[in-house]
Amino acid sequence: MNVYQANRIDKKETGVKMKEFIKVIDENKDLILDAERYIWLNPESGYKEYKTNEYMIANFEKMGYKVNRVENVTGFYTDIDTGKPGPTLLFIAELDSLINFKHPDCDKKTGAIHNCGHHAQCATMLGVAAALANKEVLGNLCGKIKLCCVPAEEGIEISYRQELVKKGIIEFTSGKPEFIRRGIFNDVDLAFMVHTSPAKDCKFKLTAGHNGVIRKRTVVKGVAAHAGANPHEGVNALNAANLILLAINSLRETFQEKDYVRIHSIITKGGDSVNAVPDEVVIESYVRAANPVMHRKINERVNLTISACAAALGSTVEITDMAGSEALREDKTLSKFAVEVAEKYYGKGSIIVDDEWLASSTDMGDISSLFPSIHAYACGADGKPHGIDYKIVDPINACVDAAKFSVGLIDSLLTNGGEKAKEVINNFTPVFKSVDEYLEHKRSINMSKETVKFNDDGTVSLCYKN
């Protein structure tokens, strides 16, 4: 018997009186597991989740929900009003996949694959929606519940998202900041979601938080020439790009461990033909850090490094910085109640609260900078997250039990006049005092300009700050 089976609710073995929502979720187990399989087999990357979006909407509408589509992009939400005064709680699932052509189950045309586990989140969401559609379950609650499926959590395909920005379809490359900008979360008081995890020693898990991220697209511009006959007449953008990446690596010893800095890059265009001096090279990068003040300073240092290296080899460079995700800090009061719920239904040891700070990033951090939030984990996956071996091996825990845990937490927070939800809200200090302040901060990061100028007097000007 594995840890999942041992900890699973069993009325006969434990004698625990089962809540109505547990019964409803069990009755909808096939709906949940079918969704996990369907979305796994139909992965779509960010702002392209068309089939997934329609599949989820169709199931919501079958349950009787009024669905609010989001204009011009994928994603939707529904508002559930209990009819009793109280806080508004947001529950989130993410629609998008990653891209990895080497994963055995990827879409062979697009490379899309849910080796992030977001498909399990969507399945969990349907279990939560099914439970809250039941009048007996909803009758115990107060306030409002917003169920929201969001696109584009994974920060991939930067060039594609830049085109959406240029067309005015989106302002932010990540889904949750874009939804915040559109006012979809203006009524929210607290929020949570449940991600999948390959952890083996528990059913659920909480961490300290995640890094923030700034996304970067760098276009190094040189001069083309015949690579064999007259390379001296060209300016090799690829050589400049190589120097840039080497210099960024040389910065690493200047970073402090407490800031959890991570910088990683790929070259998405390295030239057009091997016998021509490359005149344009494109680098996509992430700059991640835990401390938002240091994050900005480190990103500026990276921009200086890029600009100086390009100038050293006679190249110009265009840097586009895009506000990605804010650092996520798990709300301690909300985490406390999440632990109570997990232990109430699954026993001691079923949930681990780890003080580990994760250097990865999630745009749930943007939610947490405005409202008390947690980004909980449900076990049931196997393999390396984002790797070629990642898959769900225990969909009962990853999806069905995750739905029970989620509704259990909603039930705990919004019963008794929302007493626990109000405690969470009263103990919270937001990073930003308002959505307007948040948006001003995000926009101050965004930058797109040439940062190297060769002057007529032989000097070089570097303008690498916004």
Side-chain angles (χ1 to χ4, degrees):
M1 182 178 290
N2 64 30
V3 66
Y4 307 113
Q5 293 168 332
N7 285 329
R8 195 156 293 148
I9 295 174
D10 190 316
K11 187 177 180 181
K12 291 181 181 177
E13 288 183 11
T14 64
V16 175
K17 183 179 178 182
M18 295 180 71
K19 283 270 193 176
E20 184 66 28
F21 68 77
I22 294 172
K23 176 185 174 185
V24 174
I25 291 171
D26 281 334
E27 289 171 349
N28 285 275
K29 183 174 70 172
D30 289 344
L31 167 70
I32 298 167
L33 298 180
D34 287 349
E36 188 271 332
R37 280 296 86 195
Y38 174 84
I39 299 171
W40 173 261
L41 295 171
N42 292 274
E44 300 162 299
S45 58
Y47 291 125
K48 300 177 184 177
E49 311 98 323
Y50 307 115
K51 289 185 289 186
T52 307
N53 201 50
E54 294 307 314
Y55 180 88
M56 294 293 290
I57 287 173
N59 278 291
F60 264 69
E61 289 179 339
K62 285 179 185 176
M63 296 179 202
Y65 287 109
K66 177 187 175 183
V67 171
N68 301 286
R69 293 174 179 266
V70 181
E71 186 178 2
N72 294 333
V73 295
T74 46
F76 67 92
Y77 64 96
T78 190
D79 291 313
I80 304 170
D81 191 343
T82 67
K84 303 172 190 174
T88 297
L89 186 151
L90 169 67
F91 181 69
I92 291 176
E94 295 159 345
L95 296 167
D96 60 321
S97 75
L98 282 160
I99 292 176
N100 188 324
F101 280 95
K102 291 187 177 180
H103 195 290
D105 291 344
C106 76
D107 184 299
K108 303 309 177 187
K109 292 182 179 179
T110 66
I113 180 66
H114 276 290
N115 53 348
C116 49
H118 292 183
H119 67 298
Q121 292 180 30
C122 291
T124 297
M125 173 63 84
L126 290 180
V128 171
L132 296 177
N134 183 282
K135 292 181 179 179
E136 289 187 54
V137 175
L138 198 62
N140 295 323
L141 309 179
C142 71
K144 297 179 181 178
I145 304 150
K146 184 184 292 285
L147 304 180
C148 185
C149 287
V150 294
E153 187 274 334
E154 301 291 354
I156 61 174
E157 299 181 302
I158 292 175
S159 296
Y160 167 72
R161 296 187 193 184
Q162 269 192 304
E163 288 303 310
L164 296 181
V165 173
K166 289 177 182 177
K167 292 175 182 177
I169 295 172
I170 60 173
E171 181 177 351
F172 298 112
T173 55
S174 291
K176 296 183 193 70
E178 181 64 19
F179 278 28
I180 292 171
R181 180 188 73 83
R182 294 181 183 220
I184 292 169
F185 302 143
N186 281 356
D187 58 342
V188 169
D189 295 303
L190 69 168
F192 78 98
M193 61 174 290
V194 182
H195 203 293
T196 53
S197 170
K200 306 297 183 189
D201 53 352
C202 57
K203 285 180 70 65
F204 306 105
K205 184 177 179 181
L206 291 167
T207 64
H210 291 252
N211 270 351
V213 62
I214 296 172
R215 296 174 185 141
K216 186 182 300 293
R217 185 175 187 266
T218 302
V219 181
V220 186
K221 300 176 181 179
V223 177
H226 194 293
N230 56 345
H232 56 284
E233 295 180 0
V235 176
N236 194 312
L238 184 57
N239 286 344
N242 286 331
L243 184 61
I244 287 167
L245 296 178
L246 178 63
I248 290 173
N249 283 335
S250 299
L251 290 176
R252 295 185 191 279
E253 68 179 17
T254 69
F255 304 144
Q256 297 185 69
E257 284 80 359
K258 66 180 182 180
D259 294 322
Y260 291 90
V261 179
R262 300 288 188 275
I263 302 174
H264 36 104
S265 305
I266 60 171
I267 292 177
T268 58
K269 180 183 178 182
D272 295 318
S273 59
V274 72
N275 63 347
V277 172
D279 64 345
E280 184 176 278
V281 171
V282 179
I283 305 170
E284 292 187 2
S285 310
Y286 281 3
V287 179
R288 306 189 202 241
N291 182 307
V293 175
M294 286 305 302
H295 197 181
R296 296 289 290 271
K297 291 179 179 179
I298 289 162
N299 187 63
E300 288 177 357
R301 202 184 309 169
V302 170
N303 284 350
L304 171 59
T305 300
I306 291 170
S307 305
C309 290
L313 294 191
S315 296
T316 59
V317 65
E318 180 182 343
I319 298 176
T320 300
D321 281 341
M322 292 160 279
S325 307
E326 298 302 305
L328 167 67
R329 284 170 173 79
E330 306 280 5
D331 185 83
K332 291 183 178 180
T333 311
L334 188 50
S335 294
K336 177 184 72 173
F337 293 137
V339 170
E340 287 180 2
V341 167
E343 292 185 344
K344 176 180 179 180
Y345 294 113
Y346 294 97
K348 292 283 186 181
S350 60
I351 185 167
I352 290 176
V353 181
D354 196 330
D355 290 334
E356 177 187 14
W357 182 271
L358 299 178
S360 55
S361 307
T362 167
D363 59 4
M364 193 66 181
D366 293 72
I367 301 292
S368 77
S369 69
L370 292 167
F371 326 111
S373 308
I374 59 171
H375 182 274
Y377 288 91
C379 302
D382 193 30
K384 298 180 183 67
H386 296 201
I388 62 171
D389 58 346
Y390 190 87
K391 59 186 176 181
I392 301 298
V393 293
D394 187 351
I396 296 295
N397 199 80
C399 306
V400 179
D401 288 351
K404 294 175 183 177
F405 167 77
S406 299
V407 182
L409 184 52
I410 293 169
D411 178 70
S412 174
L413 293 166
L414 297 183
T415 51
N416 299 319
E419 180 181 6
K420 290 183 177 178
K422 291 172 183 176
E423 182 180 341
V424 172
I425 295 162
N426 291 336
N427 288 341
F428 176 68
T429 302
V431 176
F432 303 103
K433 295 177 182 177
S434 67
V435 170
D436 287 342
E437 184 180 302
Y438 160 82
L439 292 173
E440 182 180 352
H441 161 77
K442 300 295 278 190
R443 288 165 180 156
S444 72
I445 294 171
N446 291 340
M447 179 188 82
S448 185
K449 64 180 178 180
E450 290 203 352
T451 62
V452 178
K453 182 182 179 183
F454 294 98
N455 302 313
D456 293 338
D457 62 0
T459 61
V460 179
S461 300
L462 304 181
C463 185
Y464 58 91
K465 294 184 180 181
N466 201 355

